[in-house]
Amino acid sequence: MSATDYLERIPNNVSLKDNRRLLRALEEWQPKFLEWWQDMGPHGYQAKDVYLRTAVSVDTQGWAQFGYLRMPEYRWGIFLAEPEPNRAIAFGDHTGQPAWQEVPGEYRGTLRRLIVTQGDTEPASVEQQRHLGQTCPSLYDLRNLFQVNVEEGRHLWAMVYLLDAYFGRDGREESEALLQRRSGDRDKPRILGAFNERTPDWLSFFMFSFFTDRDGKYQLASLAESGFDPLARTCRFMLTEEAHHMFVGETGVGRIVQRTCELMREHRTDDVSAHGGIDLPMIQKYINFHFSVSLDLFGSEISTNAANFYTLGLKGRFEETKKDDDHRLKDVTYPVADLDGERVAMREQPALVSLNERLRDDYVVDCARGVARWNQVIARAGIDVELTLPHRAFHRAIGCFGDVRVSPEGRVISQAEWDARRDDWLPTKADEAYVGSLMQPVTERGKFANWIAPPARGINGQPADFEYVRLA
Ligand SMILES: [Fe+2]
Ligand SMILES: [Fe+2]
């Protein structure tokens, strides 16, 4: 394992200085990245000191260093998790063979597409969130937003490193294209649907970080099993950063729920909008929206692509190496939700083509754990309401439920019923306008917007009223 070269212009633990060709490619890309960051990264605040965590090494003693810095000076580096000695491919047709240190020629195109698709989500989310700084509910939240943003920038670096280091000229072209697509752009949109949606307010941001970043966790976790070792190691390290993003989402929604409950009790009403809060049914609608669009990111229930990625040893299952089966899956089945006339039914399908659905199942279980923690907040306040995840068939655009209308309980319904009920289930223009009206910036130290509770604790042992962003 090579030491962390933190003094170089591009901090790294991949011995960049010994690879002149790669170093030159990345040094050429760096100013374009910075230009993109200035154009499409967080709007405003670029010249302010922010209390940020920077990855400086990957060892377990602590890879993160906290301190004030201006975002454009963040050290976007290239860090791969420690190599596992003699690592073998853990699944598919190549099970047991040594993990690849170079791209197998015949899988080049497939692997590149996987990396580009993942890589594209990283700058996309920065673009989606770029206006949120203007309406932050506190300095604490502002700092967390920027932490997420710089780390998504680093994830882009991680993917660009792989493209530049292992895919020659094609890789370099893809690296450029990653800076050229734009979230929500009609002519050159980001690759995946959820990454072209707007993130107009902080409720949406927290929901996105909880639901959509969690899709990222599951995609990264399955790529962390890849037989292509540099990809596996890159993703393993990215997962450590991703955990913080989901923490921001889960605690963000949890603090909104908490504040709503406080207002409900204080004013003895379910409708806290008169008191500047976000009521629980509205939070439920935002859950319904963000959960359903994030489910789509896993792709079709039945997918020969997913089967190929697995059989070729490129993308494994969540926690592949912890599973106790043959890791080839050729003769087994997996229960997959499907449409049976007018109802949703489970059907056994060949396990290999069902891998998207299996990953979606792992994801749903994880989401449900977070929702249960939000419900604990409500229960502790003595309020008899439960937030729920909508049925997986609800409001889907991709896969076998993409063409039918399904209620949040999982009942297949007519278009007419959908039209009549849609506004009970998903945020309306009026809901969005109301949430938008709450988004007044609060930047006084230690103060929090009225619609969200302060955090239980601050970042890195600092108090909640710490000066997380220096505005002076
Ligand atoms: Fe990311
Ligand atoms: Fe993330």
Side-chain angles (χ1 to χ4, degrees), residues 37-84:
W37 178 266
Q38 293 287 356
D39 286 354
M40 297 309 296
H43 182 69
Y45 301 102
Q46 296 270 6
K48 303 293 182 195
D49 283 329
V50 185
Y51 186 68
L52 290 175
R53 164 181 91 167
T54 305
V56 293
S57 97
V58 296
D59 56 35
T60 41
Q61 275 84 359
W63 51 274
Q65 200 172 64
F66 283 87
Y68 284 103
L69 74 156
R70 285 181 283 207
M71 283 184 278
E73 287 154 18
Y74 183 83
R75 309 292 310 274
W76 284 283
I78 296 162
F79 298 104
L80 275 58
E82 305 264 2
E84 221 176 89

Side-chain angles (χ1 to χ4, degrees), residues 8 47 80 121-122 134 138 148-149 182 268 279 284 312 315 321 359 365 382 429 440 464:
E8 294 290 319
L80 275 58
T121 67
E122 315 290 356
Q134 261 69 48
S138 72
V148 170
N149 292 159
R182 291 284 183 270
R268 300 174 178 283
D279 63 30
Q284 180 65 58
L312 303 180
K315 184 180 178 188
T321 41
L359 193 60
V365 170
K429 286 270 172 286
Q440 304 300 327

Side-chain angles (χ1 to χ4, degrees), residues 110-372:
T110 313
L111 205 44
R112 193 184 63 215
R113 210 165 53 241
L114 272 172
I115 293 170
V116 167
T117 307
Q118 176 60 41
D120 193 64
T121 67
E122 315 290 356
S125 65
V126 175
E127 292 167 358
Q128 288 170 296
Q129 296 161 13
R130 69 180 301 252
H131 292 294
L132 290 171
Q134 261 69 48
T135 56
C136 64
S138 72
L139 289 184
Y140 167 87
D141 291 291
L142 186 61
R143 175 263 166 219
N144 283 348
L145 167 71
F146 293 156
Q147 184 71 54
V148 170
N149 292 159
V150 293
E151 286 176 354
E152 301 302 7
R154 206 202 66 75
H155 292 176
L156 172 60
W157 270 91
M159 293 294 124
V160 163
Y161 159 72
L162 292 174
L163 290 168
D164 279 6
Y166 296 97
F167 294 87
R169 212 172 110 189
D170 297 353
R172 285 197 300 282
E173 281 168 14
E174 295 284 11
S175 299
E176 300 278 313
L178 282 165
L179 294 177
Q180 281 155 10
R181 285 185 288 273
R182 291 284 183 270
S183 176
D185 191 288
R186 255 213 329 211
D187 301 322
K188 42 185 173 77
R190 293 294 173 181
I191 295 169
L192 299 171
F195 291 88
N196 289 301
E197 299 279 350
R198 291 165 58 243
T199 309
D201 56 66
W202 282 75
L203 177 58
S204 303
F205 168 63
F206 291 132
M207 290 286 176
F208 181 96
S209 308
F210 181 84
F211 287 111
T212 307
D213 272 291
R214 192 176 309 275
D215 158 69
K217 167 184 166 182
Y218 282 83
Q219 301 302 334
L220 291 175
S222 8
L223 293 172
E225 303 286 346
S226 181
F228 178 48
D229 203 44
L231 174 61
R233 291 172 53 205
T234 299
C235 290
R236 237 174 292 149
F237 185 67
M238 288 164 75
L239 281 166
T240 59
E241 291 164 319
E242 212 58 71
H244 175 69
H245 307 178
M246 285 172 295
F247 160 85
V248 169
E250 184 181 323
T251 56
V253 175
R255 289 161 52 215
I256 296 176
V257 169
Q258 188 188 329
R259 183 61 187 145
T260 299
C261 292
E262 287 167 9
L263 289 168
M264 286 170 76
R265 295 195 51 146
E266 193 182 322
H267 300 282
R268 300 174 178 283
T269 176
D270 290 348
D271 177 11
V272 296
S273 59
H275 309 286
I278 304 175
D279 63 30
L280 294 176
M282 195 174 306
I283 293 173
Q284 180 65 58
K285 289 193 208 179
Y286 276 76
I287 292 174
N288 293 350
F289 175 78
H290 287 272
F291 179 64
S292 56
V293 298
S294 301
L295 286 180
D296 274 340
L297 290 170
F298 291 83
S300 294
E301 291 80 5
I302 301 298
S303 162
T304 49
N305 268 343
N308 285 336
F309 296 157
Y310 188 83
T311 304
L312 303 180
L314 303 178
K315 184 180 178 188
R317 286 171 293 177
F318 180 63
E319 299 190 326
E320 180 71 45
T321 41
K322 291 188 190 161
K323 292 194 195 301
D324 189 19
D325 56 25
D326 76 347
H327 301 279
R328 291 170 196 264
L329 309 179
K330 301 228 195 245
D331 314 308
V332 278
T333 60
Y334 188 81
V336 175
D338 196 2
L339 213 53
D340 181 8
E342 290 294 278
R343 50 185 212 103
V344 179
M346 300 304 284
R347 231 193 287 270
E348 288 294 322
Q349 299 283 1
L352 269 179
V353 290
S354 309
L355 284 166
N356 284 346
E357 186 70 355
R358 183 188 290 237
L359 193 60
R360 189 162 20 232
D361 284 342
D362 291 326
Y363 167 83
V364 171
V365 170
D366 203 13
C367 288
R369 277 195 286 262
V371 175

